[in-house]
Amino acid sequence: MAREESGVYYAGRFHAGKGASAESFNPTNGELLVRVSGPDRDQYDAMVDAAMADHLRWRVVPAPQRGELVRKMGNALREHKEALGSLISREMGKVHQEGLGEVQEAIDIADFAVGLSRQLYGVTSHSERPSHRLYEQWHPLGVNAYITAFNFPVAVWAWNAMIGAVCGNSMIWKPSSKTPLCAIEVQKIIEPILKEAGFPSLMCLAAAGRGVGSWIAEDRRIPLISFTGSTETGRDVARTVNGRLGRTILELGGNNALIVTPSADWKLALPALVFGSVGTAGQRCTSTRRLIIHRDIKDAFIQKSIHAYGQIRIGDPLAEGTLMGPLIDKGALKGMQAALESARQDGATVLTGGEVLTTGELGKGAFVTPAIVDASPDLKIMREETFAPILYVLTYETLQEALEIHNSVDQGLSSSIFTTDMRESEYFLSHAGSDCGIANVNTGTSGAEIGLAFGGEKDTGGGRESGSDAWKVYMRRQSNTINWSSELPLAQGLKFDID
């Protein structure tokens, strides 16, 4: 019998969900891991009410004290790093080292947020009026909602939750229906910390329920929604939230390219390309999907890339030495095969990979060999994001041509160039270069650190999460004028005299 779990948490406990349920499967072997119940509308409303009540108390707690609670959550994640990392591998399919790395990312952002709790700075300004003081300050928004994707079932929640908490907000988490168990286990880890602090509904969970996402988007009680997922769904979320003048953080599609120039150091470029395209089985939003390579070095570099692909050990993500685990499910396998067939029909050539593995233990899961496709810039399917390990190879002759190819897609998340020519690297990073939110030199498209804001432009949504000053979107700005004189001069020298 399948394991049963409640995916509804608020008011300090898990409630038996009365709404739609979700089933989570191990993509390695197809085994049903858990059946999770979600909230009905009444439970959802009770959850939001509880989160609002805790926010009203939490917002007056000094920010450094909020940071202390986040510090405790970071330490709790440290204690459970191995178990939680292994669960990520079981439920999502990324290899064990990547699972551990994801938990470490959540720990790192907690540490970052603790320091941030003492750095929520405003600005002061000189007034044009005598004996006046001008300044800006930041206040908590209220209840935040975080709708996260299956590929990072812990880290993306942490980016939002740790920052949102030190900013004085409460929150509701709606994880992907494909990875609800990771969310439930995270909630169990932080539950005693929330209770001890006296804020049991500061971080609530709705781990299942088909209608929950729509309820959140329409809910005027929730001023901010962070959504990670497809561009199509992101547009729907944005239309609904913008229609009620709410805020969104959108982290949507990526179609990331890596440019390799004739001066590139192959000892750096080759492993960056392989990890970027094969890591997490190509299911990162920052995965390398296009290789734009100079015509003079294309053949030799591709030969080495094909050889490197042949060394990738595919299998159980928890087994030592595995470098690529399964796709999330059989539906993702079908999507990859459809993309490759579309490429072939439009004249592209599959140079290696793309086979579904159907024999032995691998046949029970969603395993495939990573593919390299020789393509042209007008290949239609390449302009779409296929969440699978497909790398399209394109050639160029001038850097300007490479950037035209690079910037021609609708997405604008992550980008990279490998060069030892300073002029090429600086041009790539200039206003005339990459149009992405992330632009790297001599490191790959995948593997962003938490110190900088994460997000992209165009169809990627324009959102920013994690480090730098991304915290500002979780707060509301207030401009303040203080008159400490005995007169009432008006701005711009206006005169309004009354007796």
Side-chain angles (χ1 to χ4, degrees):
M1 181 177 294
R3 173 180 170 185
E4 302 279 347
E5 286 277 0
S6 167
V8 184
Y9 182 92
Y10 63 94
R13 67 184 180 90
F14 283 91
H15 301 255
K18 299 177 182 178
S21 62
E23 294 181 334
S24 174
F25 296 87
N26 184 338
T28 300
N29 55 25
E31 173 190 349
L32 178 62
L33 292 175
V34 66
R35 185 176 292 109
V36 177
S37 61
D40 64 5
R41 186 58 198 243
D42 288 342
Q43 288 179 314
Y44 166 80
D45 286 333
M47 178 186 301
V48 177
D49 287 343
M52 290 179 65
D54 267 15
H55 161 68
L56 295 178
R57 296 186 300 117
W58 181 244
R59 67 181 180 178
V60 298
V61 174
Q65 292 184 28
R66 299 178 206 146
E68 176 62 14
L69 181 139
V70 170
R71 183 187 67 80
K72 291 179 179 178
M73 289 194 291
N75 287 339
L77 290 171
R78 280 185 174 89
E79 295 173 6
H80 294 86
K81 179 178 176 179
E82 175 63 38
L84 189 54
S86 297
L87 177 60
I88 291 171
S89 295
R90 287 182 61 220
E91 188 175 34
M92 185 269 149
K94 63 178 61 175
V95 298
H96 192 211
Q97 282 300 308
E98 289 190 74
L100 294 175
E102 179 169 347
V103 182
Q104 186 60 51
E105 191 168 356
I107 295 167
D108 291 344
I109 197 65
D111 291 347
F112 178 92
V114 173
L116 177 65
S117 69
R118 296 179 182 271
Q119 301 179 71
L120 301 174
Y121 298 132
V123 298
T124 61
S125 179
H126 291 279
S127 174
E128 66 188 49
R129 292 168 284 180
S131 303
H132 282 60
R133 180 162 63 91
L134 307 179
Y135 74 97
E136 292 180 352
Q137 61 179 333
W138 297 84
H139 295 302
L141 268 179
V143 181
N144 299 169
Y146 309 138
I147 303 175
T148 60
F150 74 85
N151 58 335
F152 280 86
V154 173
V156 174
W157 164 81
W159 290 356
N160 288 278
M162 303 305 179
I163 302 297
V166 299
C167 288
N169 302 310
S170 60
M171 58 212 67
I172 293 170
W173 182 14
K174 172 61 179 71
S176 167
S177 60
K178 297 182 179 182
T179 52
L181 188 54
C182 287
I184 290 170
E185 293 305 316
V186 167
Q187 193 71 41
K188 290 179 179 178
I189 290 171
I190 66 174
E191 176 183 22
I193 298 169
L194 298 175
K195 287 181 177 179
E196 181 185 24
F199 293 93
S201 296
L202 185 68
M203 296 182 175
C204 301
L205 175 67
R210 187 172 300 276
V212 175
S214 296
W215 300 339
I216 288 172
E218 296 165 358
D219 199 331
R220 293 179 62 86
R221 296 172 295 178
I222 301 176
L224 173 67
I225 295 177
S226 172
F227 173 82
T228 303
S230 71
T231 299
E232 181 181 3
T233 305
R235 285 196 177 98
D236 291 339
V237 171
R239 277 191 289 265
T240 301
V241 178
N242 291 343
R244 60 176 176 83
L245 301 182
R247 295 190 193 180
T248 56
I249 303 173
L250 300 176
E251 301 289 353
L252 310 177
N255 197 344
N256 316 296
L258 186 151
I259 299 173
V260 179
T261 72
S263 71
D265 184 342
W266 289 21
K267 294 190 302 293
L268 302 179
L270 188 60
L273 175 73
V274 176
F275 174 72
S277 56
V278 173
T280 323
Q283 297 173 116
R284 292 187 177 212
C285 52
T286 54
S287 290
T288 306
R289 310 212 178 275
R290 296 177 295 148
L291 168 63
I292 305 172
I293 188 163
H294 195 276
R295 190 175 305 277
D296 292 346
I297 61 174
K298 172 189 174 183
D299 291 343
F301 192 85
I302 293 304
Q303 285 179 6
K304 287 204 173 275
S305 299
I306 292 174
H307 176 76
Y309 267 46
Q311 310 306 305
I312 299 297
R313 181 176 174 182
I314 302 169
D316 183 349
L318 288 170
E320 185 176 353
T322 300
L323 295 179
M324 184 177 129
L327 295 179
I328 187 63
D329 54 29
K330 294 293 180 69
L333 282 181
K334 293 179 181 178
M336 179 177 178
Q337 295 307 300
L340 291 174
E341 181 58 27
S342 175
R344 291 188 186 98
Q345 290 180 359
D346 286 345
T349 302
V350 179
L351 300 176
T352 188
E355 300 92 357
V356 177
L357 302 179
T358 59
T359 60
E361 291 298 312
L362 297 184
K364 299 177 181 178
F367 290 95
V368 69
T369 57
I372 299 177
V373 179
D374 195 5
S376 61
D378 60 355
L379 183 65
K380 183 178 178 181
I381 191 63
M382 185 188 64
R383 309 184 72 81
E384 302 175 12
E385 181 186 40
T386 302
F387 231 46
I390 302 176
L391 176 69
Y392 298 100
V393 181
L394 306 161
T395 57
Y396 77 93
E397 292 187 2
T398 68
L399 185 58
Q400 289 76 15
E401 180 188 4
L403 284 165
E404 287 175 5
I405 295 170
H406 177 281
N407 295 343
S408 66
V409 297
D410 292 332
Q411 306 85 356
L413 178 52
S414 186
S415 58
S416 178
I417 189 171
F418 278 80
T419 179
T420 54
D421 185 323
M422 183 185 71
R423 290 178 176 174
E424 288 183 330
S425 65
E426 290 298 324
Y427 187 81
F428 177 75
L429 298 176
S430 75
H431 61 275
S434 168
D435 64 358
C436 292
I438 299 170
N440 299 328
V441 175
N442 292 331
T443 189
T445 65
S446 191
E449 296 185 34
I450 58 95
L452 297 178
F454 180 92
E457 302 301 323
K458 301 191 295 186
D459 277 5
T460 301
R464 294 297 187 274
E465 295 172 327
S466 193
S468 185
D469 66 347
W471 61 270
K472 291 180 179 179
V473 75
Y474 300 88
M475 305 192 81
R476 61 180 178 89
R477 186 198 302 254
Q478 185 181 77
S479 298
N480 305 116
T481 302
I482 298 175
N483 176 8
W484 53 277
S485 74
S486 58
E487 305 293 332
L488 189 66
L490 300 179
Q492 292 84 47
L494 297 181
K495 299 296 183 181
F496 191 80
D497 296 326
I498 59 173
D499 293 331

